[in-house]
Amino acid sequence: MRRSLNITEPAIFMKADSVLKGGKPFFLPDFSSEVHYETEVVVKICRLGKNIAEQFAHRYYDEVTTGIDFTARDLQTKLRNSGLPWELSKAFDNSAVVGNFIPLTEAGKIDELSFRLDINGQTVQRGCTGDMIFSVDKIIARVSRYFTLRMGDLIYTGTPAGVGKVHVGDHLEGYLGDRKLLDFHVR
């Protein structure tokens, strides 16, 4: 989301190819005692692309949803303090949860999408794609510089303020506008 930081390029994190879908529960890993949720708008790539110019990036996605980027925050801090890569804290099995996709034509303009995360019936994060530090198109252009994008690839776009710890028994629901697209429990 927009901040007063002097960031010139989006950060890129990889996720394992074990994405949770369909309301399946997220099981807290045994190697972390501080797993945090980060709700994000997720776009699905619909065509092959490499080195995509920002002005053409909108041609490479046509579906959208909400998702959760889980981070083992205690492990991330340990790795960061040791000067090591963060992959273990961001890309462990099932650390990406994705909701049901809807066509972008139903969702609205990509730079005007409101989204939120409710945990146990309380809103804990709320954002709008128009407030992001980097637009979805800029993110896609940046990612495609380093990785060939393929049909079905998922791009998580960034999280608003309000990240926090999840607990066994939590019920997470993700919304795009007023439409619930994500619904699962933590076990």
Side-chain angles (χ1 to χ4, degrees):
M1 303 287 104
R2 292 200 196 276
R3 298 182 194 124
S4 59
L5 302 175
N6 188 19
I7 300 173
T8 59
E9 295 291 338
I12 298 171
F13 299 98
M14 300 295 290
K15 289 289 191 178
D17 192 19
S18 60
V19 177
L20 277 179
K21 302 175 186 176
K24 293 179 182 171
F26 170 74
F27 290 90
L28 288 172
D30 62 0
F31 54 80
S32 177
S33 61
E34 191 179 354
V35 174
H36 285 199
Y37 57 83
E38 299 177 26
T39 190
E40 304 188 23
V41 168
V42 182
V43 295
K44 186 187 293 183
I45 299 301
C46 63
R47 61 194 287 193
L48 186 70
K50 177 75 174 161
N51 289 317
I52 302 165
E54 185 176 346
Q55 67 265 30
F56 301 120
H58 67 278
R59 297 178 183 173
Y60 289 82
Y61 58 93
D62 59 4
E63 291 183 281
V64 64
T65 190
T66 56
I68 304 294
D69 168 14
F70 280 117
T71 302
R73 195 70 70 203
D74 50 352
L75 182 56
Q76 182 186 41
T77 299
K78 179 181 172 184
L79 293 167
R80 181 185 288 166
N81 290 343
S82 299
L84 297 172
W86 304 354
E87 256 49 49
L88 291 177
S89 69
K90 299 285 289 178
F92 56 90
D93 283 345
N94 300 319
S95 63
V97 183
V98 66
N100 298 318
F101 281 91
I102 60 172
L104 193 55
T105 54
E106 288 180 27
K109 294 182 180 180
I110 193 66
D111 58 351
E112 297 176 0
L113 300 178
S114 63
F115 61 103
R116 77 174 198 270
L117 175 66
D118 291 357
I119 298 182
N120 304 323
Q122 299 294 319
T123 299
V124 295
Q125 282 190 291
R126 184 180 302 275
C128 177
T129 53
D131 294 331
M132 294 182 354
I133 297 171
F134 301 105
S135 70
V136 171
D137 291 347
K138 183 164 183 85
I139 293 168
I140 288 177
R142 174 72 171 174
V143 171
S144 74
R145 181 175 178 201
Y146 298 95
F147 304 100
T148 299
L149 297 179
R150 301 186 189 317
M151 288 180 62
D153 283 350
L154 306 179
I155 307 289
Y156 285 61
T157 61
T159 192
V163 301
K165 187 175 176 180
V166 291
H167 306 278
V168 170
D170 282 348
H171 180 204
L172 283 72
E173 298 170 292
Y175 294 82
L176 196 58
D178 291 329
R179 193 167 181 173
K180 181 167 51 171
L181 301 175
L182 182 70
D183 189 344
F184 69 100
H185 289 83
V186 176
R187 302 285 186 227

